[in-house]
Amino acid sequence: CQKRCAVRASWWTPAMDGASSSARGTFEWVAGWPSLEAHFKALNLPSSTTHAIDIGCGNSTLPLHLASLYSCVSALDREEHCAVSMRAQHPQAERVTWRTCDICDAASLASVLDRGTAGLVVDKGTLDCAIVEHDAARLLCNVAWLLEPGGVYAVISFRKPELLIPLL
Protein backbone atom coordinates (compact mmCIF):
# COMPACT_ATOMS: atom_id res chain seq x y z
CA CYS A 1 0.00 0.00 0.00
CA GLN A 2 2.68 2.47 -0.98
CA LYS A 3 0.53 4.31 -3.47
CA ARG A 4 0.81 8.09 -3.44
CA CYS A 5 -2.57 9.68 -3.01
CA ALA A 6 -3.70 13.25 -3.09
CA VAL A 7 -5.79 13.77 0.00
CA ARG A 8 -8.59 16.31 0.05
CA ALA A 9 -9.54 16.81 3.64
CA SER A 10 -12.22 18.85 5.32
CA TRP A 11 -12.52 18.94 9.09
CA TRP A 12 -15.52 19.86 11.14
CA THR A 13 -16.94 18.83 14.45
CA PRO A 14 -20.17 16.98 13.71
CA ALA A 15 -23.20 17.85 15.75
CA MET A 16 -24.04 14.97 17.97
CA ASP A 17 -27.23 14.19 16.10
CA GLY A 18 -25.95 10.67 15.62
CA ALA A 19 -26.67 7.93 18.09
CA SER A 20 -30.36 8.18 17.37
CA SER A 21 -32.52 5.34 16.22
CA SER A 22 -35.91 5.33 14.64
CA ALA A 23 -38.83 2.96 14.81
CA ARG A 24 -37.64 1.42 11.52
CA GLY A 25 -34.46 0.14 13.15
CA THR A 26 -31.91 2.49 11.64
CA PHE A 27 -29.01 4.05 13.51
CA GLU A 28 -26.86 7.05 12.68
CA TRP A 29 -23.40 6.77 14.17
CA VAL A 30 -21.41 10.00 14.74
CA ALA A 31 -23.70 12.29 12.73
CA GLY A 32 -26.83 12.19 10.61
CA TRP A 33 -27.60 13.64 7.20
CA PRO A 34 -28.61 17.12 8.48
CA SER A 35 -25.04 17.63 9.74
CA LEU A 36 -23.36 16.05 6.71
CA GLU A 37 -25.30 17.15 3.63
CA ALA A 38 -23.56 20.49 3.08
CA HIS A 39 -20.12 18.87 3.39
CA PHE A 40 -20.91 16.28 0.71
CA LYS A 41 -22.35 18.94 -1.60
CA ALA A 42 -19.18 21.03 -1.10
CA LEU A 43 -17.06 18.18 -2.50
CA ASN A 44 -18.41 19.11 -5.96
CA LEU A 45 -18.03 15.59 -7.33
CA PRO A 46 -19.80 14.93 -10.64
CA SER A 47 -23.16 13.47 -9.63
CA SER A 48 -23.80 11.62 -12.88
CA THR A 49 -20.56 9.60 -12.83
CA THR A 50 -19.58 9.25 -9.19
CA HIS A 51 -19.87 5.83 -7.58
CA ALA A 52 -20.09 6.44 -3.83
CA ILE A 53 -19.24 3.62 -1.44
CA ASP A 54 -20.26 3.75 2.22
CA ILE A 55 -17.95 1.40 4.10
CA GLY A 56 -19.21 -0.06 7.35
CA CYS A 57 -22.68 1.31 6.67
CA GLY A 58 -24.49 -0.75 9.30
CA ASN A 59 -28.17 0.16 9.27
CA SER A 60 -27.64 3.85 8.54
CA THR A 61 -29.76 5.73 6.02
CA LEU A 62 -26.68 7.62 4.77
CA PRO A 63 -26.54 5.52 1.55
CA LEU A 64 -30.09 6.63 0.70
CA HIS A 65 -29.10 10.28 1.12
CA LEU A 66 -25.91 9.77 -0.91
CA ALA A 67 -28.10 8.40 -3.71
CA SER A 68 -29.74 11.82 -3.91
CA LEU A 69 -26.32 13.23 -4.89
CA TYR A 70 -24.56 10.42 -6.77
CA SER A 71 -25.54 8.05 -9.57
CA CYS A 72 -24.59 4.81 -7.84
CA VAL A 73 -24.12 3.93 -4.16
CA SER A 74 -22.73 0.72 -2.68
CA ALA A 75 -23.38 0.25 1.03
CA LEU A 76 -20.93 -2.26 2.53
CA ASP A 77 -21.00 -3.93 5.92
CA ARG A 78 -19.44 -7.10 7.26
CA GLU A 79 -22.67 -8.09 8.99
CA GLU A 80 -25.12 -9.84 6.66
CA HIS A 81 -28.13 -8.91 8.81
CA CYS A 82 -27.47 -5.20 8.15
CA ALA A 83 -27.64 -5.65 4.38
CA VAL A 84 -30.70 -7.91 4.61
CA SER A 85 -32.54 -5.49 6.90
CA MET A 86 -31.80 -2.42 4.77
CA ARG A 87 -32.74 -4.19 1.51
CA ALA A 88 -36.05 -5.21 3.07
CA GLN A 89 -36.75 -1.71 4.40
CA HIS A 90 -35.82 0.09 1.18
CA PRO A 91 -36.64 -2.10 -1.85
CA GLN A 92 -37.37 1.03 -3.91
CA ALA A 93 -33.81 2.38 -3.54
CA GLU A 94 -32.77 1.72 -7.13
CA ARG A 95 -29.38 3.46 -6.96
CA VAL A 96 -28.33 1.82 -3.67
CA THR A 97 -26.97 -1.70 -3.37
CA TRP A 98 -26.43 -3.15 0.10
CA ARG A 99 -23.63 -5.73 0.10
CA THR A 100 -21.85 -7.86 2.65
CA CYS A 101 -18.08 -7.95 2.80
CA ASP A 102 -15.25 -7.26 5.22
CA ILE A 103 -13.67 -3.99 4.05
CA CYS A 104 -10.45 -4.95 5.88
CA ASP A 105 -10.14 -8.21 3.94
CA ALA A 106 -8.89 -7.67 0.38
CA ALA A 107 -10.35 -10.92 -0.97
CA SER A 108 -13.75 -10.24 0.58
CA LEU A 109 -13.79 -6.72 -0.83
CA ALA A 110 -12.69 -7.88 -4.30
CA SER A 111 -15.55 -10.39 -4.31
CA VAL A 112 -18.11 -7.54 -4.40
CA LEU A 113 -16.36 -4.59 -6.10
CA ASP A 114 -13.65 -3.91 -8.65
CA ARG A 115 -10.46 -1.95 -8.11
CA GLY A 116 -10.64 1.77 -8.77
CA THR A 117 -14.42 2.00 -8.99
CA ALA A 118 -15.13 4.64 -6.32
CA GLY A 119 -15.14 8.36 -6.88
CA LEU A 120 -16.08 8.69 -3.21
CA VAL A 121 -15.52 6.39 -0.25
CA VAL A 122 -17.46 7.44 2.84
CA ASP A 123 -16.29 6.25 6.23
CA LYS A 124 -18.57 7.16 9.12
CA GLY A 125 -16.88 5.60 12.15
CA THR A 126 -15.30 2.63 10.37
CA LEU A 127 -11.73 3.90 10.69
CA ASP A 128 -12.44 4.54 14.38
CA CYS A 129 -13.37 0.86 14.77
CA ALA A 130 -10.42 -0.34 12.67
CA ILE A 131 -8.02 1.59 14.89
CA VAL A 132 -9.44 -0.14 17.97
CA GLU A 133 -9.30 -3.53 16.22
CA HIS A 134 -5.69 -2.91 15.06
CA ASP A 135 -6.84 -3.12 11.43
CA ALA A 136 -6.38 0.48 10.25
CA ALA A 137 -3.54 -0.32 7.83
CA ARG A 138 -5.55 -2.97 5.99
CA LEU A 139 -8.62 -0.72 5.90
CA LEU A 140 -6.67 2.20 4.44
CA CYS A 141 -4.94 0.03 1.84
CA ASN A 142 -8.32 -1.33 0.73
CA VAL A 143 -9.81 2.16 0.56
CA ALA A 144 -6.88 3.18 -1.69
CA TRP A 145 -7.61 0.09 -3.82
CA LEU A 146 -11.26 1.14 -4.18
CA LEU A 147 -10.61 4.77 -5.14
CA GLU A 148 -10.38 5.84 -8.75
CA PRO A 149 -7.65 8.39 -9.61
CA GLY A 150 -8.68 11.69 -8.02
CA GLY A 151 -11.24 9.96 -5.79
CA VAL A 152 -12.11 11.26 -2.34
CA TYR A 153 -11.98 9.42 0.98
CA ALA A 154 -14.36 11.21 3.36
CA VAL A 155 -13.80 10.28 7.01
CA ILE A 156 -16.40 11.23 9.60
CA SER A 157 -14.86 10.44 12.96
CA PHE A 158 -14.91 11.06 16.68
CA ARG A 159 -11.10 11.12 16.57
CA LYS A 160 -9.04 14.29 16.52
CA PRO A 161 -7.40 15.32 13.22
CA GLU A 162 -3.96 15.11 14.93
CA LEU A 163 -4.43 11.35 15.13
CA LEU A 164 -6.01 10.79 11.72
CA ILE A 165 -3.89 13.00 9.48
CA PRO A 166 -0.68 10.99 10.03
CA LEU A 167 -2.61 7.78 9.25
CA LEU A 168 -4.01 9.21 6.04
Side-chain angles (χ1 to χ4, degrees):
C1 181
Q2 296 185 11
K3 177 179 170 182
R4 289 181 170 232
C5 300
V7 176
R8 279 193 337 187
S10 171
W11 300 98
W12 72 93
T13 303
M16 294 305 294
D17 65 344
S20 64
S21 58
S22 74
R24 294 198 75 175
T26 60
F27 184 83
E28 299 305 325
W29 185 255
V30 185
W33 188 245
S35 296
L36 301 174
E37 181 178 14
H39 296 285
F40 283 106
K41 287 182 176 179
L43 291 175
N44 291 321
L45 296 173
S47 62
S48 62
T49 59
T50 298
H51 180 182
I53 300 173
D54 183 357
I55 60 172
C57 63
N59 56 0
S60 168
T61 59
L62 180 60
L64 298 169
H65 295 289
L66 291 171
S68 72
L69 298 177
Y70 307 111
S71 61
C72 177
V73 178
S74 293
L76 308 180
D77 200 275
R78 66 183 177 189
E79 300 296 333
E80 177 69 25
H81 67 89
C82 291
V84 169
S85 172
M86 295 306 283
R87 271 189 230 115
Q89 288 181 53
H90 305 284
Q92 77 290 357
E94 295 176 10
R95 294 192 291 184
V96 180
T97 305
W98 279 275
R99 301 172 188 215
T100 303
C101 77
D102 182 349
I103 186 71
C104 293
D105 181 284
S108 178
L109 179 59
S111 73
V112 297
L113 290 168
D114 293 326
R115 179 183 195 146
T117 59
L120 172 65
V121 172
V122 178
D123 175 333
K124 190 167 68 151
T126 303
L127 181 56
D128 291 344
C129 293
I131 290 169
V132 171
E133 294 174 0
H134 305 287
D135 235 351
R138 290 190 327 150
L139 171 75
L140 294 172
C141 286
N142 289 341
V143 166
W145 182 86
L146 275 175
L147 286 170
E148 65 187 25
V152 174
Y153 178 37
V155 178
I156 300 126
S157 173
F158 284 121
R159 307 251 181 204
K160 293 182 179 183
E162 299 82 44
L163 172 68
L164 294 179
I165 290 172
L167 287 174
L168 298 173

